[in-house]
Amino acid sequence: MDVRSRNYLLMNRQALEKDIKTSYIMDRMISDEVLTLQEEERVKQQNTQKERAAMLINIILTKDNNSYRSFYNALLHEGYRDLAALLQDGIPAISSGNRKSSMDGMTSYVKTILCEGGVPQRPVVFVTRPKLVDAIKQKLFCLGNDPGWVTVYGMAGCGKTVLTAEALRDHQLLEDYFPGGVHWISVGKQDKAGLLIKLQNLCSRLEHDSALSQRPPLNIEEAKDRLRLLMLRRYPRSLLILDDIWDSWVLKAFDNQCQVLITSRDRSVTDAVAGNKYEVHVESGLAHEKGLEILSLFVNMKISELPEQANCLVRECK
């Protein structure tokens, strides 16, 4: 960890230890793959909330810059905006020129951008579907510098979210087309009150600089206006991802001349918004070979070692 980042943790550890509850923060850090289950257990074994917070900070101090960023983002997302503000000036700089690959083939630059943007990690059992991933990338390339919408649509469970997240694990795509970063929002089926909360949380994330932060927007129109200014002034050339859109009226709150990718079961949800539009259809079901690949990963065997009954099982599941 950078000396500056370490110093900010040390300077503010008393305030952090006093106020944070570690459970949800650790969940996010585990999801970001910067905290292990064994380290989580060490924290849980402490007797008091303050002791658990102290143990977590001690563990973070032994780790790298990604751990600091993950901890900062966890504070921000879990409602500790004031504590996150204490650590903001200590966030390590991102070097976009760093192309050193990580264990899963991503560069450290990509890993940091996706972590900060809240992009989901790969599932434990993951099989490649390169044609669909490439199709999503190509549609994102088509956006260029212009506002517009990419819709990844298909039946429930067909893999829209996983494929979208996988398409974003590309250094050139992020550095050349979306240097302002990515911002992932899991939307789902919402009423107006639920949508307002989603918008308030997004504005809070984007306004993490305490000197510029404001009260939460009071209604959807105010939130839309604030989001438009944030994306225009502070996050130009960034990508907004709206996962699991059910209703077209929801998109009107994000119709701000931005670059947006959505996942949805409904191909027509973007009919009510303006801008260039591109589509990627994800068919339900997998090819037989992909089904065998998933089964082999579950049972930790090579496909060639699977018994004959495996073919019958995959056909039955389809």
Side-chain angles (χ1 to χ4, degrees):
M1 183 182 298
D2 289 353
V3 173
R4 180 181 177 84
S5 303
R6 182 180 177 83
N7 286 341
Y8 267 85
L9 270 178
L10 292 171
M11 284 190 302
N12 295 292
R13 71 177 301 162
Q14 185 174 358
L16 294 165
E17 291 173 3
K18 178 182 177 182
D19 291 334
I20 65 171
K21 296 180 180 178
T22 56
S23 178
Y24 292 120
I25 289 174
M26 289 195 297
D27 285 346
R28 286 189 174 272
M29 295 183 72
I30 289 170
S31 177
D32 290 340
E33 298 183 350
V34 299
L35 192 74
T36 67
L37 294 176
Q38 292 78 12
E39 289 166 336
E40 179 189 37
E41 189 59 33
R42 284 170 57 194
V43 174
K44 287 182 175 180
Q45 287 174 354
Q46 306 306 306
N47 294 323
T48 67
Q49 174 184 316
K50 186 174 181 179
E51 289 173 347
R52 289 189 287 272
M55 176 59 72
L56 177 59
I57 292 169
N58 285 339
I59 291 171
I60 295 170
L61 285 167
T62 68
K63 294 179 173 289
D64 61 8
N65 289 340
N66 283 332
S67 299
Y68 187 100
R69 295 188 188 98
S70 176
F71 181 54
Y72 168 82
N73 285 317
L75 291 173
L76 201 62
H77 285 79
E78 295 303 328
Y80 296 103
R81 292 185 62 193
D82 292 342
L83 295 178
L86 296 177
L87 300 183
Q88 165 137 21
D89 289 340
I91 297 175
I94 301 171
S95 174
S96 62
N98 184 0
R99 297 180 179 265
K100 183 179 179 181
S101 294
S102 62
M103 290 290 289
D104 59 6
M106 293 193 297
T107 64
S108 59
Y109 171 69
V110 170
K111 191 169 184 178
T112 298
I113 293 297
L114 299 190
C115 174
E116 292 184 343
V119 177
Q121 298 288 326
R122 284 174 179 157
V124 175
V125 176
F126 172 77
V127 295
T128 59
R129 299 166 74 181
K131 289 185 179 179
L132 283 168
V133 171
D134 286 344
I136 295 172
K137 289 182 185 179
Q138 290 304 317
K139 298 305 181 185
L140 289 172
F141 290 145
C142 288
L143 285 177
N145 295 324
D146 299 322
W149 307 77
V150 173
T151 303
V152 180
Y153 71 96
M155 297 295 290
C158 66
K160 302 181 294 294
T161 297
V162 173
L163 290 166
T164 295
E166 193 61 24
L168 298 174
R169 305 185 207 283
D170 183 287
H171 190 114
Q172 180 186 0
L173 175 70
L174 297 183
E175 186 174 48
D176 294 348
Y177 288 82
F178 305 110
V182 298
H183 311 286
W184 185 291
I185 304 97
S186 297
V187 181
K189 192 169 181 63
Q190 297 292 343
D191 57 14
K192 289 187 177 181
L195 178 60
L196 178 58
I197 291 173
K198 293 286 184 180
L199 287 163
Q200 288 172 334
N201 289 341
L202 176 59
C203 289
S204 175
R205 284 166 56 183
L206 299 179
E207 292 176 328
H208 55 69
D209 186 341
S210 59
L212 297 176
S213 61
Q214 306 175 51
R215 60 164 176 77
L218 300 179
N219 54 61
I220 291 176
E221 280 302 314
E222 182 183 349
K224 179 179 178 180
D225 288 340
R226 190 178 302 183
L227 180 60
R228 173 174 53 82
L229 293 176
L230 282 166
M231 298 298 283
L232 177 66
R233 296 175 180 176
R234 300 189 63 188
Y235 297 94
R237 297 188 64 196
S238 61
L239 178 66
L240 192 62
I241 303 107
L242 307 177
D243 186 33
D244 194 22
I245 295 293
W246 284 62
D247 302 294
S248 59
W249 67 267
V250 169
L251 294 185
K252 292 182 180 180
F254 301 93
D255 191 5
N256 284 321
Q257 295 294 297
C258 303
Q259 295 178 305
V260 187
L261 182 149
I262 71 168
T263 70
S264 180
R265 305 178 191 187
D266 183 357
R267 178 182 181 180
S268 66
V269 288
T270 58
D271 287 353
V273 294
N276 298 323
K277 298 169 187 175
Y278 307 91
E279 297 176 349
V280 177
H281 181 215
V282 181
E283 295 183 356
S284 58
L286 292 170
H288 189 78
E289 293 74 16
K290 288 295 181 182
L292 288 174
E293 187 178 346
I294 290 174
L295 181 59
S296 71
L297 290 170
F298 265 116
V299 299
N300 197 26
M301 295 174 63
K302 294 180 180 178
I303 294 178
S304 60
E305 297 173 347
L306 292 173
E308 177 59 31
Q309 292 89 336
N311 290 292
C312 298
L313 181 60
V314 170
R315 282 194 292 269
E316 186 68 23
C317 290
K318 292 179 67 178

